[in-house]
Amino acid sequence: MKKGQVKRKFESFGFSSSNPYDQRVRKELVLHIQNQVQIGNDFTLKLYSWMKISILKQKIHKATKLDLGDFRVLYKNQELTLNNEDLEDYGIKNHVSLKLMARKQGQQTYFINSLYNILEETRSTQEQFQNAKWAVEGAFMKGITPKLTDFGTQGTYILENQNHKPVAIFKPYDEEAFAPNNPRGMKGKMNSPGLRQGILSGEGVDREVAAYLIDQSSGHYHNVPITNYVQICHPTFHEAEEYKQFQHEKIPIKEGSFQLYIPHDDNVGNYGSGLYPSMEARKIAILDIRILNCDRNEENILVRKKKVPQANGQTRQSFDYFLIPIDHGYSFPDSFKICRDEVVWYHWGQMAQQFTQEEKVFIEKIDPDKDIQMIKEKVQLRDICLRNVKIATMLLKIGAAADLTIHDIAEMLYREDPDELSPIEKAVQTAEYNYNNNVRVPKGFFKEKIFSNNLIQKSLEFESSNLNNLERPQINQPLLKLQIIRDEEENKEINERENQNQHSDKKLIRVGSQQNIKTVKKPTEKEWNEEFYAHITYLLQQLVEHKLQEKVPSPRKYRPRYISEEVK
C-alpha cells in the first residue's frame, strides 16, 4: 500500500492531516485518565500526539461505555472542547493526567471553564477564583440553577453554592442591552448603540474585566471584586444558535464575566453619605475618573459595616464603613458625554476636601501608558476608548498636583447641562484641531518640565539656530522642491501608453507635505501620538490654572468694614 493511501485513510478516521510517518509527529503518548464518573475505575490510554480530540473521546467511550454527551475531558482545568484539534495543540505530553468528569446529573447539563487567565499570580487570588468556580459547579450537580436578577437591563445571573448562598455574578456577552439574546426585551444586533453614549452592545463584559485590571495593577486600592472571563453551559440561559456547541444537546454555552460576590450589608442609597470615611469615598471617585464610569449610581456601591469596640460607658454601637464598587459595564466610553448627575458621589461633602498625602502619592504613581498597554494585552477595547481614559487620568494627575479637589476635577470632567460641552470636551476638540492643522505647542510650555521626553521638545520647539544650516536657494531656483509621484493606477496606464509610445501627465506635489497618496492605505482608526498628547497636556494645564484662579477669593467679598466714630 502506498504511503499516500495510508495518509488518506488516517485522515478519514479523524486523525491529523500531518504525515504520520514524520518522526516529529510520531510520538506515542501514554495518558492517565482520572475517572471521576465511575470512581475507582481509572485507566490509561495509548495515543499519538497527532491524533484529534475526537479520537480521544471515542477511546474513552469504548473504555467506559459512557455516551459522548455524558462526560467531558479536562486537562489543567481546561475542557478539551475543540474536537478537530490535535492533542499536541492542547500541549498534552506523555504521561500526563486527564480528568474525566460527568456532564449530566439527571437531566441537568452543566460546566464552567476559565477562558483567559488574566488574574495576577498570587496564591490568594487564584484560590478564591478556583474555589468560587468549584462551588458553582458543585451547585450545578445538586440541581441549583443560575438565577436571573429582578432588576437591570441585561442578563445578570446570581450563581450560588450548594447552601444556596451567592458566590458570583455572571454576565454573558449576548444578553447585554440591545444584544441578540437580551432577556429584558431589548434585543438588537451585536455592537449596536447601547443605553449609554459611547458604549456598544457586547462590550460590557470587557469593561467589567478592564476595571478589575486597573484595580489589580494598583494593588487593589479601589476594592473591585475579582473578575475574570468564563464559559458556562447551563439550560437556564437563553438559547443561542451561535453558542450551541453540542448538536445532540440544545443547551447554550455562554461566555461572559464572572465576578465574585462580596458579602455586604446594603448599598449607599440606604445610608447617609456623611457616614463614609473620606478616603473610602474618594477611592470610588478616583476609580470612576480613571475608567470614565458613566453609571455610578447608588445600587452599584456596596456598603460593608464593621463593629468598632465600644469604650467604657459607651452605650451606642459604632461602625466602620467600607465601600465596594461593582457593575462597571458602562465605563471606558468613546466620548466624554457624561453628566454630573450620573455619578452619585459628585454632591458628597468628602469630594470638596483636599487630598491627603497618601492619596497624592498614589495618584502620582499612576502610569496611564502602562495601564493602557496592560489592558491592550488582555482585553479587547477600542483605541478611542483607551485614549479617553488616558486623558481623564492625565487631568486627575495634573489636578491633584495643583491641590485641586475631586469636586474641582469633576467640574471640568463632567457636563453640567446635558446639551452643553464640558471643559474637557472643549479641550479635546481644540487639541484635535491643533494637531490636525500642525499647530505647535507654545515654546515656553516645555520649560516647565511637564514632559520629560527630549524628543518631543526637540520636535515641537522651533530652534532659530537651524536657519543658518539651511541651504539658500540660488537665483532662478524654485523655492519649493517638486517630486514626481505616481499611484498604482497611473503606473498601469503609463506602461500601456509606453507600449504605444505615449507619455502620461506628471503629478507635482511639495516634498514633505502630508498629502494623502493613493498607494498609502489609510489606517482604520486614527493614531494619537506624543504630539497630540502634548497638546492635551498643555490645554489641561490651562484648565487647571483657570480653575485655580476661580478659587481665589474676590477682594470685594472680604473688604473691611468702616467703623463709625460714634461706635468708637
Side-chain angles (χ1 to χ4, degrees):
M1 184 179 296
K2 297 182 179 180
K3 294 183 179 180
Q5 296 177 354
V6 174
K7 179 180 177 181
R8 286 194 297 271
K9 183 179 179 182
F10 281 179
E11 290 178 359
S12 65
F13 279 97
F15 295 160
S16 171
S17 60
S18 303
N19 186 2
Y21 289 91
D22 191 348
Q23 295 298 328
R24 292 174 298 178
V25 298
R26 196 177 181 184
K27 300 177 183 178
E28 186 175 4
L29 304 179
V30 177
L31 307 179
H32 304 277
I33 310 298
Q34 299 178 6
N35 193 346
Q36 296 189 5
V37 181
Q38 301 167 346
I39 299 177
N41 294 326
D42 297 347
F43 57 94
T44 58
L45 292 176
K46 291 185 178 180
L47 298 167
Y48 290 96
S49 60
W50 43 266
M51 289 184 174
K52 294 185 178 181
I53 300 299
S54 58
I55 299 301
L56 170 64
K57 293 181 179 180
Q58 291 178 10
K59 294 279 188 181
I60 295 175
H61 166 65
K62 292 181 180 180
T64 60
K65 307 300 180 184
L66 295 173
D67 293 336
L68 293 175
D70 292 343
F71 66 86
R72 58 195 183 100
V73 187
L74 283 77
Y75 175 61
K76 291 184 178 180
N77 292 328
Q78 180 183 8
E79 184 177 1
L80 309 181
T81 57
L82 302 177
N83 295 328
N84 292 327
E85 296 292 329
D86 303 341
L87 297 175
E88 193 173 17
D89 294 335
Y90 275 100
I92 298 177
K93 300 180 181 180
N94 194 20
H95 292 292
V96 301
S97 297
L98 303 180
K99 188 181 295 184
L100 185 66
M101 298 187 66
R103 187 180 298 281
K104 286 187 176 182
Q105 184 71 23
Q107 298 297 324
Q108 295 281 0
T109 303
Y110 70 93
F111 68 77
I112 175 171
N113 295 326
S114 299
L115 290 179
Y116 317 105
N117 188 16
I118 65 163
L119 304 180
E120 58 187 356
E121 297 297 331
T122 59
R123 183 176 180 181
S124 60
T125 303
Q126 295 288 342
E127 286 183 353
Q128 290 182 52
F129 179 70
Q130 291 295 338
N131 291 337
K133 276 178 45 182
W134 293 336
V136 173
E137 200 164 63
F140 287 171
M141 295 179 64
K142 295 293 184 179
I144 300 174
T145 62
K147 296 181 179 179
L148 181 67
T149 58
D150 298 330
F151 54 88
T153 58
Q154 63 179 357
T156 304
Y157 295 88
I158 300 176
L159 306 178
E160 300 177 338
N161 59 11
Q162 298 182 14
N163 298 324
H164 295 275
K165 293 184 178 181
V167 174
I169 304 297
F170 177 65
K171 297 179 180 180
Y173 276 106
D174 65 325
E175 296 190 21
E176 296 180 10
F178 299 104
N181 298 294
N182 182 269
R184 316 286 184 179
M186 294 184 291
K187 295 184 179 181
K189 294 182 179 180
M190 197 68 77
N191 296 327
S192 60
L195 294 176
R196 296 286 175 175
Q197 183 74 27
I199 299 176
L200 306 179
S201 62
E203 295 181 343
V205 171
D206 296 325
R207 284 160 165 76
E208 292 276 2
V209 176
Y212 173 74
L213 289 175
I214 289 290
D215 186 37
Q216 179 178 272
S217 65
S218 303
H220 303 280
Y221 179 81
H222 307 288
N223 300 325
V224 179
I226 296 175
T227 311
N228 201 353
Y229 291 108
V230 296
Q231 183 186 65
I232 302 180
C233 177
H234 201 277
T236 301
F237 303 129
H238 296 289
E239 293 187 2
E241 295 294 335
E242 61 269 23
Y243 287 100
K244 290 179 182 177
Q245 193 166 344
F246 303 96
Q247 295 181 358
H248 58 277
E249 298 172 351
K250 294 182 179 181
I251 297 176
I253 301 174
K254 301 281 182 160
E255 295 180 0
S257 62
F258 183 90
Q259 186 174 84
L260 267 60
Y261 181 86
I262 304 299
H264 57 280
D265 297 287
D266 215 323
N267 57 60
V268 298
N270 296 324
Y271 294 93
S273 60
L275 295 175
Y276 315 131
S278 298
M279 292 187 64
E280 286 291 315
R282 286 196 292 270
K283 282 180 181 180
I284 306 294
I286 294 172
L287 173 66
D288 289 342
I289 293 175
R290 294 180 65 185
I291 65 176
L292 270 182
N293 195 355
C294 303
D295 184 28
R296 178 61 75 192
N297 54 56
E298 297 176 344
E299 300 292 335
N300 53 35
I301 303 181
L302 306 180
V303 181
R304 186 169 56 187
K305 298 190 300 184
K306 183 179 179 180
K307 291 184 178 180
V308 178
Q310 295 182 355
N312 294 331
Q314 184 178 0
T315 58
R316 185 176 180 180
Q317 181 66 53
S318 58
F319 298 90
D320 283 338
Y321 295 88
F322 302 92
L323 303 182
I324 304 167
I326 61 171
D327 196 4
H328 301 107
Y330 292 119
S331 55
F332 298 89
D334 61 11
S335 68
F336 288 92
K337 297 179 181 179
I338 311 173
C339 294
R340 299 175 181 178
D341 294 335
E342 293 175 346
V343 286
V344 68
W345 47 259
Y346 177 79
H347 300 286
W348 290 0
Q350 296 91 328
M351 304 305 156
Q353 300 175 3
Q354 295 291 333
F355 286 111
T356 63
Q357 188 62 30
E358 179 183 352
E359 292 171 337
K360 287 185 177 180
V361 171
F362 171 78
I363 295 174
E364 184 180 1
K365 291 182 179 179
I366 296 175
D367 188 352
D369 293 323
K370 184 178 179 180
D371 291 341
I372 289 175
Q373 183 62 31
M374 177 260 304
I375 291 176
K376 283 184 176 180
E377 294 175 356
K378 298 182 179 182
V379 181
Q380 294 183 356
L381 289 178
R382 288 174 285 154
D383 290 341
I384 190 172
C385 301
L386 299 178
R387 185 210 71 169
N388 293 344
V389 168
K390 180 177 179 179
I391 294 173
T393 307
M394 292 167 62
L395 176 62
L396 174 66
K397 292 173 66 67
I398 296 174
D403 291 331
L404 293 181
T405 64
I406 285 285
H407 190 270
D408 297 331
I409 298 172
E411 285 183 340
M412 296 182 287
L413 186 62
Y414 302 122
R415 289 185 176 188
E416 182 178 7
D417 189 337
D419 298 328
E420 295 181 1
L421 298 180
S422 61
I424 197 170
E425 288 181 274
K426 297 178 182 178
V428 172
Q429 288 184 359
T430 305
E432 289 178 346
Y433 176 83
N434 293 343
Y435 175 67
N436 294 332
N437 293 274
N438 298 326
V439 178
R440 294 184 176 181
V441 179
K443 181 178 178 181
F445 172 64
F446 289 98
K447 294 182 180 179
E448 300 176 4
K449 297 183 180 180
I450 294 178
F451 273 97
S452 60
N453 193 339
N454 293 328
L455 294 177
I456 308 175
Q457 182 174 356
K458 291 180 181 179
S459 62
L460 298 182
E461 286 188 351
F462 182 77
E463 299 179 0
S464 59
S465 60
N466 292 338
L467 289 174
N468 300 326
N469 300 328
L470 297 177
E471 296 182 0
R472 295 184 178 181
Q474 299 177 1
I475 301 176
N476 299 329
Q477 181 181 356
L479 296 177
L480 297 178
K481 296 181 180 180
L482 300 178
Q483 182 179 0
I484 301 174
I485 296 180
R486 302 186 181 93
D487 54 20
E488 295 179 356
E489 297 178 357
E490 189 177 1
N491 288 333
K492 293 180 181 179
E493 295 178 358
I494 291 173
N495 294 333
E496 294 176 358
R497 293 179 182 178
E498 284 180 355
N499 297 332
Q500 301 175 1
N501 296 324
Q502 295 180 358
H503 300 280
S504 66
D505 297 333
K506 298 178 181 180
K507 289 184 179 180
L508 301 179
I509 68 168
R510 191 186 339 183
V511 175
S513 67
Q514 297 184 357
Q515 180 178 351
N516 292 328
I517 304 173
K518 292 183 180 179
T519 55
V520 180
K521 295 183 179 179
K522 295 182 180 180
T524 55
E525 281 201 10
K526 186 175 180 179
E527 295 182 358
W528 296 276
N529 55 18
E530 293 177 340
E531 183 179 351
F532 171 77
Y533 287 112
H535 285 284
I536 286 290
T537 307
Y538 172 73
L539 294 171
L540 294 182
Q541 185 73 17
Q542 297 297 317
L543 284 179
V544 171
E545 291 179 358
H546 181 69
K547 178 60 67 174
L548 291 173
Q549 293 176 1
E550 290 181 353
K551 296 185 68 175
V552 175
S554 174
R556 292 183 179 181
K557 185 176 181 180
Y558 298 97
R559 185 166 50 189
R561 294 181 179 180
Y562 293 97
I563 304 175
S564 63
E565 296 180 358
E566 296 179 357
V567 176
K568 292 180 181 179

